[in-house]
Short mmCIF file of all heavy atoms in Angstrom, two decimals:
data_model
loop_
_atom_site.label_atom_id
_atom_site.label_comp_id
_atom_site.label_asym_id
_atom_site.label_seq_id
_atom_site.Cartn_x
_atom_site.Cartn_y
_atom_site.Cartn_z
N ILE A 269 82.95 30.07 89.72
CA ILE A 269 83.01 30.00 91.18
C ILE A 269 83.97 28.90 91.64
O ILE A 269 83.56 27.77 91.88
CB ILE A 269 81.61 29.75 91.79
CG1 ILE A 269 80.58 30.71 91.21
CG2 ILE A 269 81.68 29.88 93.32
CD1 ILE A 269 79.14 30.46 91.70
N PRO A 270 85.26 29.22 91.75
CA PRO A 270 86.18 28.25 92.36
C PRO A 270 85.97 28.24 93.87
O PRO A 270 85.47 29.20 94.45
CB PRO A 270 87.57 28.83 92.03
CG PRO A 270 87.34 29.98 91.09
CD PRO A 270 85.93 30.45 91.33
N ASN A 271 86.38 27.13 94.48
CA ASN A 271 86.26 26.99 95.94
C ASN A 271 87.64 26.60 96.49
O ASN A 271 87.92 25.41 96.69
CB ASN A 271 85.19 25.94 96.27
CG ASN A 271 83.82 26.38 95.79
OD1 ASN A 271 83.21 27.25 96.39
ND2 ASN A 271 83.37 25.83 94.70
N PRO A 272 88.49 27.60 96.73
CA PRO A 272 89.92 27.33 96.97
C PRO A 272 90.21 26.36 98.12
O PRO A 272 91.07 25.49 97.97
CB PRO A 272 90.49 28.72 97.30
CG PRO A 272 89.54 29.68 96.67
CD PRO A 272 88.20 29.04 96.72
N LEU A 273 89.51 26.47 99.24
CA LEU A 273 89.81 25.60 100.38
C LEU A 273 89.54 24.14 100.01
O LEU A 273 90.34 23.24 100.29
CB LEU A 273 88.96 25.98 101.59
CG LEU A 273 89.22 27.36 102.20
CD1 LEU A 273 88.12 27.73 103.19
CD2 LEU A 273 90.58 27.40 102.89
N ILE A 274 88.40 23.91 99.39
CA ILE A 274 87.98 22.55 99.08
C ILE A 274 88.77 22.00 97.90
O ILE A 274 89.15 20.83 97.87
CB ILE A 274 86.46 22.53 98.77
CG1 ILE A 274 85.67 23.19 99.91
CG2 ILE A 274 85.97 21.12 98.50
CD1 ILE A 274 86.00 22.73 101.29
N ASN A 275 89.01 22.84 96.90
CA ASN A 275 89.73 22.37 95.72
C ASN A 275 91.16 21.94 96.07
O ASN A 275 91.62 20.89 95.64
CB ASN A 275 89.76 23.47 94.64
CG ASN A 275 88.37 23.84 94.14
OD1 ASN A 275 88.16 24.94 93.64
ND2 ASN A 275 87.40 22.95 94.28
N ILE A 276 91.85 22.72 96.89
CA ILE A 276 93.22 22.36 97.24
C ILE A 276 93.24 21.14 98.16
O ILE A 276 94.19 20.37 98.17
CB ILE A 276 93.97 23.57 97.89
CG1 ILE A 276 95.49 23.35 97.87
CG2 ILE A 276 93.50 23.84 99.31
CD1 ILE A 276 96.12 23.41 96.52
N MET A 277 92.16 20.92 98.88
CA MET A 277 92.08 19.77 99.79
C MET A 277 91.70 18.49 99.05
O MET A 277 92.23 17.41 99.34
CB MET A 277 91.04 20.06 100.88
CG MET A 277 90.94 18.98 101.94
SD MET A 277 92.50 18.81 102.83
CE MET A 277 91.99 19.35 104.46
N LEU A 278 90.79 18.57 98.08
CA LEU A 278 90.23 17.36 97.48
C LEU A 278 90.81 16.97 96.13
O LEU A 278 90.73 15.81 95.73
CB LEU A 278 88.70 17.50 97.34
CG LEU A 278 87.90 17.65 98.64
CD1 LEU A 278 86.41 17.72 98.32
CD2 LEU A 278 88.18 16.50 99.61
N GLN A 279 91.38 17.93 95.41
CA GLN A 279 91.90 17.58 94.08
C GLN A 279 93.33 17.03 94.18
O GLN A 279 93.98 17.17 95.22
CB GLN A 279 91.85 18.80 93.15
CG GLN A 279 90.44 19.33 92.93
CD GLN A 279 89.47 18.30 92.41
OE1 GLN A 279 89.73 17.65 91.41
NE2 GLN A 279 88.34 18.11 93.09
N GLY A 280 93.79 16.44 93.11
CA GLY A 280 95.15 15.90 93.07
C GLY A 280 95.33 14.64 93.91
O GLY A 280 96.45 14.22 94.16
N ARG A 281 94.22 14.01 94.32
CA ARG A 281 94.31 12.88 95.23
C ARG A 281 94.85 11.62 94.58
O ARG A 281 95.31 10.72 95.26
CB ARG A 281 92.91 12.58 95.81
CG ARG A 281 92.46 13.62 96.80
CD ARG A 281 93.17 13.43 98.13
NE ARG A 281 92.82 14.45 99.09
CZ ARG A 281 92.66 14.21 100.39
NH1 ARG A 281 92.81 12.99 100.86
NH2 ARG A 281 92.37 15.19 101.21
N HIS A 282 94.77 11.54 93.25
CA HIS A 282 95.30 10.35 92.57
C HIS A 282 96.74 10.57 92.11
O HIS A 282 97.34 9.68 91.52
CB HIS A 282 94.40 9.97 91.40
CG HIS A 282 93.03 9.52 91.83
ND1 HIS A 282 92.66 8.19 91.88
CD2 HIS A 282 91.96 10.21 92.28
CE1 HIS A 282 91.42 8.09 92.32
NE2 HIS A 282 90.97 9.31 92.57
N ASP A 283 97.27 11.74 92.34
CA ASP A 283 98.65 12.04 91.94
C ASP A 283 99.60 11.54 93.02
O ASP A 283 99.26 11.52 94.20
CB ASP A 283 98.85 13.56 91.78
CG ASP A 283 98.04 14.13 90.64
OD1 ASP A 283 97.42 13.33 89.90
OD2 ASP A 283 98.01 15.37 90.49
N THR A 284 100.81 11.14 92.59
CA THR A 284 101.87 10.96 93.58
C THR A 284 102.60 12.30 93.63
O THR A 284 102.13 13.22 94.25
CB THR A 284 102.80 9.80 93.18
OG1 THR A 284 103.26 10.01 91.85
CG2 THR A 284 102.06 8.48 93.28
N TYR A 285 103.74 12.43 92.98
CA TYR A 285 104.41 13.72 92.84
C TYR A 285 104.97 13.80 91.43
O TYR A 285 105.41 12.80 90.92
CB TYR A 285 105.55 13.87 93.87
CG TYR A 285 105.01 13.96 95.27
CD1 TYR A 285 104.92 12.84 96.06
CD2 TYR A 285 104.57 15.19 95.77
CE1 TYR A 285 104.40 12.92 97.34
CE2 TYR A 285 104.05 15.27 97.05
CZ TYR A 285 103.97 14.14 97.83
OH TYR A 285 103.45 14.23 99.09
N PRO A 286 104.93 14.99 90.80
CA PRO A 286 104.31 16.22 91.30
C PRO A 286 102.81 16.08 91.47
O PRO A 286 102.15 15.34 90.75
CB PRO A 286 104.66 17.24 90.21
CG PRO A 286 105.07 16.46 89.03
CD PRO A 286 105.48 15.12 89.46
N LYS A 287 102.26 16.82 92.43
CA LYS A 287 100.86 16.74 92.81
C LYS A 287 100.17 18.03 92.34
O LYS A 287 100.58 19.12 92.70
CB LYS A 287 100.78 16.65 94.33
CG LYS A 287 99.53 16.00 94.87
CD LYS A 287 99.58 15.99 96.39
CE LYS A 287 100.10 14.71 97.00
NZ LYS A 287 99.20 13.57 96.89
N ARG A 288 99.11 17.87 91.54
CA ARG A 288 98.43 19.06 91.00
C ARG A 288 97.67 19.83 92.08
O ARG A 288 97.24 19.24 93.07
CB ARG A 288 97.47 18.63 89.89
CG ARG A 288 98.16 18.27 88.60
CD ARG A 288 97.22 17.60 87.63
NE ARG A 288 96.90 16.25 88.08
CZ ARG A 288 96.09 15.43 87.42
NH1 ARG A 288 95.50 15.82 86.31
NH2 ARG A 288 95.86 14.21 87.89
N ARG A 289 97.49 21.14 91.84
CA ARG A 289 96.74 21.96 92.78
C ARG A 289 95.23 21.84 92.57
O ARG A 289 94.46 22.07 93.48
CB ARG A 289 97.12 23.44 92.61
CG ARG A 289 98.53 23.73 93.05
CD ARG A 289 99.03 25.06 92.55
NE ARG A 289 100.45 25.19 92.88
CZ ARG A 289 100.95 26.13 93.68
NH1 ARG A 289 100.18 27.07 94.16
NH2 ARG A 289 102.21 26.15 93.97
N GLY A 290 94.84 21.53 91.34
CA GLY A 290 93.41 21.35 91.07
C GLY A 290 92.60 22.62 91.20
O GLY A 290 91.40 22.58 91.46
N MET A 291 93.24 23.77 91.02
CA MET A 291 92.51 25.04 91.07
C MET A 291 92.30 25.50 89.63
O MET A 291 93.23 25.43 88.82
CB MET A 291 93.37 26.06 91.83
CG MET A 291 92.74 27.41 91.97
SD MET A 291 91.33 27.32 93.09
CE MET A 291 91.14 29.04 93.44
N THR A 292 91.09 25.97 89.32
CA THR A 292 90.85 26.44 87.96
C THR A 292 91.72 27.66 87.65
O THR A 292 92.39 28.20 88.52
CB THR A 292 89.36 26.72 87.73
OG1 THR A 292 89.13 26.79 86.33
CG2 THR A 292 88.92 28.03 88.38
N ARG A 293 91.70 28.10 86.40
CA ARG A 293 92.67 29.12 85.94
C ARG A 293 92.17 30.53 86.25
O ARG A 293 91.74 31.27 85.36
CB ARG A 293 92.94 28.92 84.45
CG ARG A 293 93.41 27.50 84.18
CD ARG A 293 93.90 27.32 82.76
NE ARG A 293 94.21 25.90 82.52
CZ ARG A 293 95.04 25.47 81.58
NH1 ARG A 293 95.63 26.33 80.77
NH2 ARG A 293 95.26 24.17 81.43
#
Side-chain angles (χ1 to χ4, degrees):
I269 311 176
N271 296 285
L273 295 168
I274 307 311
N275 297 156
I276 197 69
M277 184 62 114
L278 297 182
Q279 299 304 307
R281 288 284 177 142
H282 294 258
D283 295 353
T284 53
Y285 292 95
K287 204 181 265 289
R288 285 169 288 179
R289 291 165 187 242
M291 181 69 163
T292 197
R293 304 189 186 203

